[in-house]
Amino acid sequence: MHNWDDIRFFLALARSGSLTSAAKLMSVNHSTIARRIAAMEERHGVRLFDRVPSGYELTSVGSLIFEQAELIESRHRALDRLMFGYDHRLSGPLLVTMPHDLASFCVIPHLTEFAETYPDVELKLLAGTDLKKLNAREADIAIRLTASPPEYLVGERIAALRHGVYQSTEYCSDEGGAERVILWNHETELPSWVLDHYPNARVVLRVDELTSMYSAVKSGIGIARIPCYLPDLLRDPEIKRRNLELKPSNWGVWLLSHVDLKTTARVVVCKRFLRELLIGQRDIFEGRRSHYG
C-alpha cells in the first residue's frame, strides 16, 4: 500500500467486513471497494482478505497489516489536527455535532447571528444520536450530554442536566392507579425512578431518541423521565411536569473540542458563540423554568 487512499480503503473493509458497509463509509460504489482491494492484493502478491459467506475476513497477513495501518491512520489524523490547529483564518468549513433535539430547539434558532458575524465560516451541523469522533476529525466542536467526556477533549461543563417526570394534561393512569411508563431502548430493567415512585407501573413503549419520547408523552401513551430543557423550552400547554423529586443526574451539558484545535480561529469564535448561547439557556437545562401540573 503506497498511498493513504489504499490504507483508507483497506481499513474500511477490515472494520466493516462487507463491501456495502465499506462503500458507505468511503462514499463510493461497492464495486470500487472490490476493485481497489483486488488491485492491492495483486500489486503486493498477498491475500489480505478471505471471502466468506458473511463477507470479508482478514487473513493472518491482513491482520498484521491492519495493526500497522491503524498506526499510520492515527499519525495521519494527528498531522491533520496539528495543521488545522494553526489555521488562523476565519473562513472555511467547520463541523459541529450535537443531539438532534438540542440542535433544532436550542441552537439553530440563534445561528443567524453567527452567520452574519462570520459570513466566511461554513458551518456543517451534524445532528443525531451518533457520537462523532473528534480525534478523527469527524467533527471539530461537540455539544454533548454526558457525565464525563473523553480526556483528549477540552471544554467545559456549561450546565447540569436536570430531569423531570412529564405527562400529557390528558393522561390518565390505568385502573387502580398503575402508571404506564415510556423508557429508553437500552433500559432492560425498570430504572430507579420507576421502582422508587411507581412500583406497579407497566412499560408501554421504548424509544431511542428524545423527540420520540416527547411525542409519546404528549400523545398520552404514558409518562417518562425527560431532560427538562425540551418540554420547558417548548412551553407546550399540553405537557406538564409532575411535582416529584428525582435523584439528580451527574450528567451535564458539555461544550468540547479536541485539544489540538484550541487555537484554531474559527473553532475559537464558534465555541465562544455557543458558550454564550448555552449559558443563556442554563435555567432551562437545570429545570428552573418547569411548569408543574
Side-chain angles (χ1 to χ4, degrees):
M1 286 179 275
H2 294 132
N3 60 53
W4 172 233
D5 276 344
D6 282 348
I7 295 172
R8 291 172 62 233
F9 279 98
F10 170 76
L11 287 172
L13 185 56
R15 287 167 175 160
S16 65
S18 80
L19 291 175
T20 301
S21 298
K24 185 176 180 180
L25 287 172
M26 298 296 293
S27 300
V28 297
N29 189 282
H30 75 277
S31 62
T32 300
I33 300 289
R35 186 171 61 253
R36 293 291 293 259
I37 295 300
M40 281 186 262
E41 292 180 324
E42 182 178 356
R43 184 164 62 248
H44 297 288
V46 296
R47 194 174 78 256
L48 301 173
F49 295 91
D50 284 324
R51 283 64 169 175
V52 296
S54 60
Y56 283 67
E57 289 183 356
L58 286 168
T59 63
S60 57
V61 174
S63 295
L64 293 174
I65 294 174
F66 179 75
E67 294 177 8
Q68 295 302 313
E70 285 198 310
L71 291 176
I72 295 172
E73 179 187 49
S74 177
R75 291 167 184 155
H76 184 274
R77 288 173 173 173
L79 178 61
D80 185 45
R81 291 194 307 269
L82 182 63
M83 294 174 65
F84 187 48
Y86 287 96
D87 188 342
H88 299 302
R89 297 170 298 172
L90 289 175
S91 62
L94 186 64
L95 310 182
V96 184
T97 182
M98 65 191 73
H100 180 272
D101 49 88
L102 202 152
S104 296
F105 302 110
C106 298
V107 176
I108 290 177
H110 306 278
L111 285 182
T112 300
E113 178 185 346
F114 183 85
E116 291 176 346
T117 306
Y118 304 102
D120 296 325
V121 176
E122 180 187 342
L123 280 182
K124 182 176 182 181
L125 185 58
L126 308 171
T129 56
D130 293 339
L131 292 180
K132 301 300 181 182
K133 298 176 183 177
L134 273 68
N135 62 336
R137 288 290 314 282
E138 291 179 352
D140 303 315
I141 298 173
I143 300 175
R144 286 188 180 170
L145 308 180
T146 182
S148 56
E151 293 184 357
Y152 65 83
L153 301 181
V154 294
E156 62 179 308
R157 189 174 187 259
I158 300 294
L161 189 64
R162 293 292 177 256
H163 297 73
V165 175
Y166 289 84
Q167 69 166 75
S168 162
T169 53
E170 302 299 322
Y171 168 80
C172 293
S173 58
D174 292 342
E175 287 187 26
E179 304 288 357
R180 303 187 302 277
V181 297
I182 303 163
L183 301 180
W184 299 106
N185 284 341
H186 67 268
E187 293 178 310
T188 56
E189 299 180 355
L190 291 179
S192 60
W193 70 270
V194 176
L195 294 174
D196 291 345
H197 300 284
Y198 310 110
N200 297 322
R202 64 185 180 93
V203 180
V204 292
L205 181 67
R206 297 178 189 272
V207 298
D208 64 352
E209 53 89 31
L210 184 55
T211 53
S212 296
M213 180 172 281
Y214 180 87
S215 296
V217 169
K218 183 174 179 177
S219 70
I221 293 176
I223 63 174
R225 176 182 177 271
I226 296 178
C228 295
Y229 70 87
L230 182 58
D232 294 357
L233 185 65
L234 295 178
R235 305 294 292 175
D236 192 327
E238 296 180 19
I239 296 286
K240 62 183 181 180
R241 179 178 172 184
R242 291 191 169 185
N243 193 4
L244 184 70
E245 281 295 322
L246 297 180
K247 181 181 178 180
S249 167
N250 62 349
W251 280 44
V253 182
W254 287 82
L255 178 61
L256 303 160
S257 62
H258 196 282
V259 64
D260 291 348
L261 310 185
K262 62 184 178 181
T263 61
T264 306
R266 54 190 183 272
V267 171
V268 171
V269 297
C270 189
K271 284 185 69 175
R272 183 187 305 132
F273 172 82
L274 291 173
R275 180 180 185 275
E276 294 175 358
L277 177 60
L278 295 174
I279 286 177
Q281 300 177 74
R282 184 179 282 162
D283 282 354
I284 293 172
F285 290 122
E286 298 187 347
R288 289 193 287 270
R289 296 188 186 178
S290 293
H291 168 65
Y292 292 92

